[in-house]
Amino acid sequence: MPYEPKVVAGVEIVPVCDAVGPMGESIRKPLPELFPGGAFADADDEWALHFHCYVLRAGGRTVLVDTGIGGTDSPAAGWAPVPGRLVAELAEVGVGPADVDVVVLTHLHSDHASGCVRDGVPVFPNARHVIQQAELDWVGGPMRREVVEPLRDSIQVVDGDAGLLPGVRVVHAPGHTPGHQCVEVGDLIVTGDAVLHPVQLADPTIPYAYDEDPERAVVSRLAILDRAAVIAPGHFAQAFVPVRPI
């Protein structure tokens, strides 16, 4: 594992990397088109995404935030570097699928949620899967058929901010999708796709081409960055990024 864990407010946070690679041709755009107004040293550089998930351990419980891109037949296969290696990465940090008590899906885009179902069966059999009501109301297509429906009996629906475990809570942060949520642990926030690229740290008002509601996404991003000392982003090369002096 290339990443060192952190302990914040008594919670151990362990990053795992499901995959690394560029977007596929079906959705790839130059960086200035993906992030209009962003300043890039080389606008022709290809964006290599890191697909991070995070393990949180607290009070004898194990929480997994996001489940990556899934296998070669997952809904992410049309654009992401499948197959993901989440289960193998979890094994390296001592976590088996049956050990996971809670899965938080920051949102239901295919690169964040496809890895929780394989062959129509939940990968984490003992976990409740925490999803915002607004996200369930919005999602359709392959993600509803191939991910949400197989999880039906294990979904814990939340509506807005909610506590999960002592020191761990989900925070509704809409914009990228209607039910996008982050996970807050003390002054560290696992941001999902509320912050996608370092240019949005330099200027949080920079939108992203694939935000469902760019204006709401900016409001959510500003609120998150105002509260966090450190973020744990979904797609940066780094697993932990300081936001302000700690």
Side-chain angles (χ1 to χ4, degrees):
M1 279 300 301
Y3 304 118
E4 291 294 326
K6 280 187 178 292
V7 177
V8 178
V11 179
E12 184 186 33
I13 303 152
V14 185
V16 293
C17 189
D18 185 49
V20 180
M23 292 177 167
E25 291 291 344
S26 62
I27 65 169
R28 187 181 302 166
K29 297 177 185 288
L31 280 168
E33 292 183 29
L34 287 171
F35 300 96
F40 299 97
D42 187 342
D44 293 327
D45 281 352
E46 189 170 63
W47 185 25
L49 290 80
H50 289 65
F51 296 84
H52 289 145
C53 307
Y54 292 86
V55 176
L56 280 54
R57 292 169 167 147
R61 309 280 281 175
T62 299
V63 178
L64 175 63
V65 183
D66 284 338
T67 62
I69 59 180
T72 55
D73 59 349
S74 85
W79 72 272
V82 296
R85 55 178 185 258
L86 176 61
V87 171
E89 290 289 296
L90 290 173
E92 288 195 18
V93 298
V95 177
D99 300 328
V100 178
D101 301 295
V102 181
V103 171
V104 178
L105 297 175
T106 59
H107 60 298
L108 292 173
H109 278 164
S110 60
D111 57 321
H112 288 258
S114 294
C116 60
V117 174
R118 184 190 304 125
D119 298 327
V121 177
V123 170
F124 304 100
N126 299 322
R128 52 190 168 106
H129 294 72
V130 179
I131 307 172
Q132 289 284 332
Q133 181 66 62
E135 197 75 355
L136 291 169
D137 293 342
W138 165 79
V139 71
M143 289 303 294
R144 178 169 288 280
R145 292 192 307 271
E146 299 176 32
V147 175
V148 174
E149 290 301 324
L151 292 178
R152 186 189 305 110
D153 295 336
S154 67
I155 292 175
Q156 177 184 343
V157 181
V158 291
D159 192 359
D161 300 356
L164 293 181
L165 300 171
V168 180
R169 63 197 295 261
V170 295
V171 177
H172 187 206
H176 184 63
T177 64
H180 186 282
Q181 60 186 348
C182 300
V183 178
E184 189 171 58
V185 182
D187 58 8
L188 182 147
I189 298 180
V190 184
T191 56
D193 279 357
V195 186
L196 283 124
H197 191 280
V199 296
Q200 294 179 312
L201 287 181
D203 182 354
T205 67
I206 290 172
Y208 177 56
Y210 294 119
D211 284 338
E212 290 289 318
D213 186 335
E215 291 183 1
R216 288 190 82 188
V218 167
V219 172
S220 292
R221 186 158 47 252
L222 287 166
I224 288 163
L225 295 177
D226 187 56
R227 286 210 300 281
V230 176
I231 61 169
H235 296 302
F236 285 29
Q238 307 98 321
F240 299 116
V241 180
V243 176
R244 60 176 188 263
I246 302 173

PDB file of all heavy atoms in Angstrom, residues 193-213:
ATOM      1  N   ASP A 193     -16.900  13.145  -4.902  1.00  0.00           N
ATOM      2  CA  ASP A 193     -16.646  14.007  -6.057  1.00  0.00           C
ATOM      3  C   ASP A 193     -17.076  15.452  -5.810  1.00  0.00           C
ATOM      4  O   ASP A 193     -17.295  16.199  -6.770  1.00  0.00           O
ATOM      5  CB  ASP A 193     -17.364  13.459  -7.295  1.00  0.00           C
ATOM      6  CG  ASP A 193     -16.590  12.336  -7.959  1.00  0.00           C
ATOM      7  OD1 ASP A 193     -15.475  12.016  -7.488  1.00  0.00           O
ATOM      8  OD2 ASP A 193     -17.097  11.765  -8.942  1.00  0.00           O
ATOM      9  N   ALA A 194     -17.143  15.852  -4.553  1.00  0.00           N
ATOM     10  CA  ALA A 194     -17.402  17.263  -4.273  1.00  0.00           C
ATOM     11  C   ALA A 194     -16.187  18.113  -4.652  1.00  0.00           C
ATOM     12  O   ALA A 194     -16.322  19.289  -4.998  1.00  0.00           O
ATOM     13  CB  ALA A 194     -17.745  17.467  -2.801  1.00  0.00           C
ATOM     14  N   VAL A 195     -14.998  17.535  -4.555  1.00  0.00           N
ATOM     15  CA  VAL A 195     -13.756  18.176  -5.012  1.00  0.00           C
ATOM     16  C   VAL A 195     -13.063  17.154  -5.902  1.00  0.00           C
ATOM     17  O   VAL A 195     -12.600  16.120  -5.422  1.00  0.00           O
ATOM     18  CB  VAL A 195     -12.841  18.574  -3.840  1.00  0.00           C
ATOM     19  CG1 VAL A 195     -11.642  19.367  -4.352  1.00  0.00           C
ATOM     20  CG2 VAL A 195     -13.592  19.367  -2.787  1.00  0.00           C
ATOM     21  N   LEU A 196     -12.976  17.440  -7.200  1.00  0.00           N
ATOM     22  CA  LEU A 196     -12.491  16.439  -8.142  1.00  0.00           C
ATOM     23  C   LEU A 196     -11.038  16.609  -8.548  1.00  0.00           C
ATOM     24  O   LEU A 196     -10.359  15.625  -8.846  1.00  0.00           O
ATOM     25  CB  LEU A 196     -13.360  16.463  -9.408  1.00  0.00           C
ATOM     26  CG  LEU A 196     -14.707  15.767  -9.213  1.00  0.00           C
ATOM     27  CD1 LEU A 196     -15.846  16.698  -9.554  1.00  0.00           C
ATOM     28  CD2 LEU A 196     -14.765  14.506 -10.048  1.00  0.00           C
ATOM     29  N   HIS A 197     -10.564  17.840  -8.578  1.00  0.00           N
ATOM     30  CA  HIS A 197      -9.227  18.123  -9.131  1.00  0.00           C
ATOM     31  C   HIS A 197      -8.590  19.229  -8.306  1.00  0.00           C
ATOM     32  O   HIS A 197      -9.292  20.109  -7.784  1.00  0.00           O
ATOM     33  CB  HIS A 197      -9.369  18.548 -10.596  1.00  0.00           C
ATOM     34  CG  HIS A 197      -8.085  18.621 -11.340  1.00  0.00           C
ATOM     35  ND1 HIS A 197      -7.222  19.700 -11.241  1.00  0.00           N
ATOM     36  CD2 HIS A 197      -7.504  17.756 -12.218  1.00  0.00           C
ATOM     37  CE1 HIS A 197      -6.177  19.494 -12.013  1.00  0.00           C
ATOM     38  NE2 HIS A 197      -6.314  18.319 -12.616  1.00  0.00           N
ATOM     39  N   PRO A 198      -7.259  19.234  -8.169  1.00  0.00           N
ATOM     40  CA  PRO A 198      -6.594  20.280  -7.388  1.00  0.00           C
ATOM     41  C   PRO A 198      -6.930  21.702  -7.824  1.00  0.00           C
ATOM     42  O   PRO A 198      -6.846  22.623  -6.996  1.00  0.00           O
ATOM     43  CB  PRO A 198      -5.112  19.968  -7.578  1.00  0.00           C
ATOM     44  CG  PRO A 198      -5.071  18.482  -7.764  1.00  0.00           C
ATOM     45  CD  PRO A 198      -6.294  18.171  -8.574  1.00  0.00           C
ATOM     46  N   VAL A 199      -7.300  21.927  -9.079  1.00  0.00           N
ATOM     47  CA  VAL A 199      -7.649  23.292  -9.473  1.00  0.00           C
ATOM     48  C   VAL A 199      -8.839  23.812  -8.679  1.00  0.00           C
ATOM     49  O   VAL A 199      -9.004  25.028  -8.513  1.00  0.00           O
ATOM     50  CB  VAL A 199      -7.938  23.418 -10.984  1.00  0.00           C
ATOM     51  CG1 VAL A 199      -6.707  23.121 -11.802  1.00  0.00           C
ATOM     52  CG2 VAL A 199      -9.114  22.566 -11.412  1.00  0.00           C
ATOM     53  N   GLN A 200      -9.671  22.915  -8.163  1.00  0.00           N
ATOM     54  CA  GLN A 200     -10.835  23.344  -7.381  1.00  0.00           C
ATOM     55  C   GLN A 200     -10.476  23.685  -5.944  1.00  0.00           C
ATOM     56  O   GLN A 200     -11.285  24.290  -5.234  1.00  0.00           O
ATOM     57  CB  GLN A 200     -11.925  22.278  -7.429  1.00  0.00           C
ATOM     58  CG  GLN A 200     -12.515  22.094  -8.821  1.00  0.00           C
ATOM     59  CD  GLN A 200     -13.569  21.025  -8.864  1.00  0.00           C
ATOM     60  OE1 GLN A 200     -13.382  19.921  -8.351  1.00  0.00           O
ATOM     61  NE2 GLN A 200     -14.698  21.345  -9.475  1.00  0.00           N
ATOM     62  N   LEU A 201      -9.270  23.317  -5.518  1.00  0.00           N
ATOM     63  CA  LEU A 201      -8.771  23.832  -4.242  1.00  0.00           C
ATOM     64  C   LEU A 201      -8.280  25.259  -4.420  1.00  0.00           C
ATOM     65  O   LEU A 201      -8.501  26.119  -3.560  1.00  0.00           O
ATOM     66  CB  LEU A 201      -7.629  22.957  -3.718  1.00  0.00           C
ATOM     67  CG  LEU A 201      -7.992  21.587  -3.163  1.00  0.00           C
ATOM     68  CD1 LEU A 201      -6.731  20.886  -2.683  1.00  0.00           C
ATOM     69  CD2 LEU A 201      -8.995  21.699  -2.029  1.00  0.00           C
ATOM     70  N   ALA A 202      -7.595  25.513  -5.524  1.00  0.00           N
ATOM     71  CA  ALA A 202      -7.117  26.870  -5.801  1.00  0.00           C
ATOM     72  C   ALA A 202      -8.281  27.825  -6.013  1.00  0.00           C
ATOM     73  O   ALA A 202      -8.230  28.985  -5.590  1.00  0.00           O
ATOM     74  CB  ALA A 202      -6.207  26.855  -7.028  1.00  0.00           C
ATOM     75  N   ASP A 203      -9.347  27.362  -6.643  1.00  0.00           N
ATOM     76  CA  ASP A 203     -10.533  28.176  -6.884  1.00  0.00           C
ATOM     77  C   ASP A 203     -11.767  27.266  -6.826  1.00  0.00           C
ATOM     78  O   ASP A 203     -12.103  26.610  -7.810  1.00  0.00           O
ATOM     79  CB  ASP A 203     -10.460  28.869  -8.241  1.00  0.00           C
ATOM     80  CG  ASP A 203     -11.661  29.776  -8.508  1.00  0.00           C
ATOM     81  OD1 ASP A 203     -12.605  29.782  -7.684  1.00  0.00           O
ATOM     82  OD2 ASP A 203     -11.663  30.467  -9.536  1.00  0.00           O
ATOM     83  N   PRO A 204     -12.426  27.188  -5.673  1.00  0.00           N
ATOM     84  CA  PRO A 204     -13.564  26.274  -5.514  1.00  0.00           C
ATOM     85  C   PRO A 204     -14.760  26.604  -6.402  1.00  0.00           C
ATOM     86  O   PRO A 204     -15.680  25.784  -6.516  1.00  0.00           O
ATOM     87  CB  PRO A 204     -13.935  26.429  -4.032  1.00  0.00           C
ATOM     88  CG  PRO A 204     -12.711  26.959  -3.375  1.00  0.00           C
ATOM     89  CD  PRO A 204     -12.058  27.839  -4.399  1.00  0.00           C
ATOM     90  N   THR A 205     -14.759  27.773  -7.031  1.00  0.00           N
ATOM     91  CA  THR A 205     -15.893  28.115  -7.898  1.00  0.00           C
ATOM     92  C   THR A 205     -15.761  27.506  -9.296  1.00  0.00           C
ATOM     93  O   THR A 205     -16.688  27.627 -10.099  1.00  0.00           O
ATOM     94  CB  THR A 205     -16.044  29.645  -8.034  1.00  0.00           C
ATOM     95  OG1 THR A 205     -14.923  30.185  -8.754  1.00  0.00           O
ATOM     96  CG2 THR A 205     -16.148  30.301  -6.672  1.00  0.00           C
ATOM     97  N   ILE A 206     -14.635  26.869  -9.589  1.00  0.00           N
ATOM     98  CA  ILE A 206     -14.460  26.244 -10.903  1.00  0.00           C
ATOM     99  C   ILE A 206     -15.394  25.044 -11.011  1.00  0.00           C
ATOM    100  O   ILE A 206     -15.356  24.143 -10.170  1.00  0.00           O
ATOM    101  CB  ILE A 206     -12.998  25.834 -11.108  1.00  0.00           C
ATOM    102  CG1 ILE A 206     -12.123  27.077 -11.266  1.00  0.00           C
ATOM    103  CG2 ILE A 206     -12.843  24.926 -12.327  1.00  0.00           C
ATOM    104  CD1 ILE A 206     -10.649  26.797 -11.286  1.00  0.00           C
ATOM    105  N   PRO A 207     -16.238  25.006 -12.033  1.00  0.00           N
ATOM    106  CA  PRO A 207     -17.187  23.897 -12.170  1.00  0.00           C
ATOM    107  C   PRO A 207     -16.522  22.683 -12.817  1.00  0.00           C
ATOM    108  O   PRO A 207     -15.378  22.739 -13.276  1.00  0.00           O
ATOM    109  CB  PRO A 207     -18.264  24.482 -13.096  1.00  0.00           C
ATOM    110  CG  PRO A 207     -17.501  25.446 -13.957  1.00  0.00           C
ATOM    111  CD  PRO A 207     -16.413  26.026 -13.065  1.00  0.00           C
ATOM    112  N   TYR A 208     -17.278  21.604 -12.840  1.00  0.00           N
ATOM    113  CA  TYR A 208     -16.848  20.370 -13.494  1.00  0.00           C
ATOM    114  C   TYR A 208     -17.890  20.017 -14.547  1.00  0.00           C
ATOM    115  O   TYR A 208     -19.101  20.122 -14.305  1.00  0.00           O
ATOM    116  CB  TYR A 208     -16.735  19.255 -12.449  1.00  0.00           C
ATOM    117  CG  TYR A 208     -16.378  17.904 -13.006  1.00  0.00           C
ATOM    118  CD1 TYR A 208     -15.235  17.702 -13.767  1.00  0.00           C
ATOM    119  CD2 TYR A 208     -17.190  16.800 -12.745  1.00  0.00           C
ATOM    120  CE1 TYR A 208     -14.902  16.448 -14.263  1.00  0.00           C
ATOM    121  CE2 TYR A 208     -16.864  15.540 -13.235  1.00  0.00           C
ATOM    122  CZ  TYR A 208     -15.729  15.360 -13.990  1.00  0.00           C
ATOM    123  OH  TYR A 208     -15.413  14.127 -14.483  1.00  0.00           O
ATOM    124  N   ALA A 209     -17.430  19.600 -15.711  1.00  0.00           N
ATOM    125  CA  ALA A 209     -18.325  19.396 -16.851  1.00  0.00           C
ATOM    126  C   ALA A 209     -19.423  18.374 -16.579  1.00  0.00           C
ATOM    127  O   ALA A 209     -20.514  18.464 -17.156  1.00  0.00           O
ATOM    128  CB  ALA A 209     -17.514  18.964 -18.068  1.00  0.00           C
ATOM    129  N   TYR A 210     -19.157  17.423 -15.691  1.00  0.00           N
ATOM    130  CA  TYR A 210     -20.130  16.357 -15.452  1.00  0.00           C
ATOM    131  C   TYR A 210     -20.896  16.526 -14.139  1.00  0.00           C
ATOM    132  O   TYR A 210     -21.521  15.579 -13.666  1.00  0.00           O
ATOM    133  CB  TYR A 210     -19.445  14.993 -15.511  1.00  0.00           C
ATOM    134  CG  TYR A 210     -18.926  14.667 -16.895  1.00  0.00           C
ATOM    135  CD1 TYR A 210     -17.566  14.461 -17.111  1.00  0.00           C
ATOM    136  CD2 TYR A 210     -19.784  14.580 -17.979  1.00  0.00           C
ATOM    137  CE1 TYR A 210     -17.081  14.166 -18.385  1.00  0.00           C
ATOM    138  CE2 TYR A 210     -19.309  14.293 -19.252  1.00  0.00           C
ATOM    139  CZ  TYR A 210     -17.960  14.085 -19.450  1.00  0.00           C
ATOM    140  OH  TYR A 210     -17.489  13.799 -20.706  1.00  0.00           O
ATOM    141  N   ASP A 211     -20.877  17.720 -13.569  1.00  0.00           N
ATOM    142  CA  ASP A 211     -21.755  18.009 -12.430  1.00  0.00           C
ATOM    143  C   ASP A 211     -23.194  18.093 -12.918  1.00  0.00           C
ATOM    144  O   ASP A 211     -23.485  18.748 -13.931  1.00  0.00           O
ATOM    145  CB  ASP A 211     -21.382  19.338 -11.767  1.00  0.00           C
ATOM    146  CG  ASP A 211     -20.136  19.257 -10.912  1.00  0.00           C
ATOM    147  OD1 ASP A 211     -19.786  18.142 -10.473  1.00  0.00           O
ATOM    148  OD2 ASP A 211     -19.515  20.312 -10.685  1.00  0.00           O
ATOM    149  N   GLU A 212     -24.114  17.481 -12.193  1.00  0.00           N
ATOM    150  CA  GLU A 212     -25.524  17.587 -12.536  1.00  0.00           C
ATOM    151  C   GLU A 212     -26.032  19.015 -12.345  1.00  0.00           C
ATOM    152  O   GLU A 212     -26.808  19.526 -13.147  1.00  0.00           O
ATOM    153  CB  GLU A 212     -26.347  16.623 -11.675  1.00  0.00           C
ATOM    154  CG  GLU A 212     -26.156  15.164 -12.003  1.00  0.00           C
ATOM    155  CD  GLU A 212     -26.771  14.790 -13.338  1.00  0.00           C
ATOM    156  OE1 GLU A 212     -27.894  15.254 -13.636  1.00  0.00           O
ATOM    157  OE2 GLU A 212     -26.127  14.024 -14.087  1.00  0.00           O
ATOM    158  N   ASP A 213     -25.607  19.656 -11.266  1.00  0.00           N
ATOM    159  CA  ASP A 213     -26.024  21.021 -10.950  1.00  0.00           C
ATOM    160  C   ASP A 213     -24.771  21.795 -10.521  1.00  0.00           C
ATOM    161  O   ASP A 213     -24.420  21.814  -9.336  1.00  0.00           O
ATOM    162  CB  ASP A 213     -27.070  21.014  -9.839  1.00  0.00           C
ATOM    163  CG  ASP A 213     -27.661  22.384  -9.547  1.00  0.00           C
ATOM    164  OD1 ASP A 213     -26.987  23.399  -9.824  1.00  0.00           O
ATOM    165  OD2 ASP A 213     -28.793  22.437  -9.023  1.00  0.00           O
TER     166      ASP A 213
END
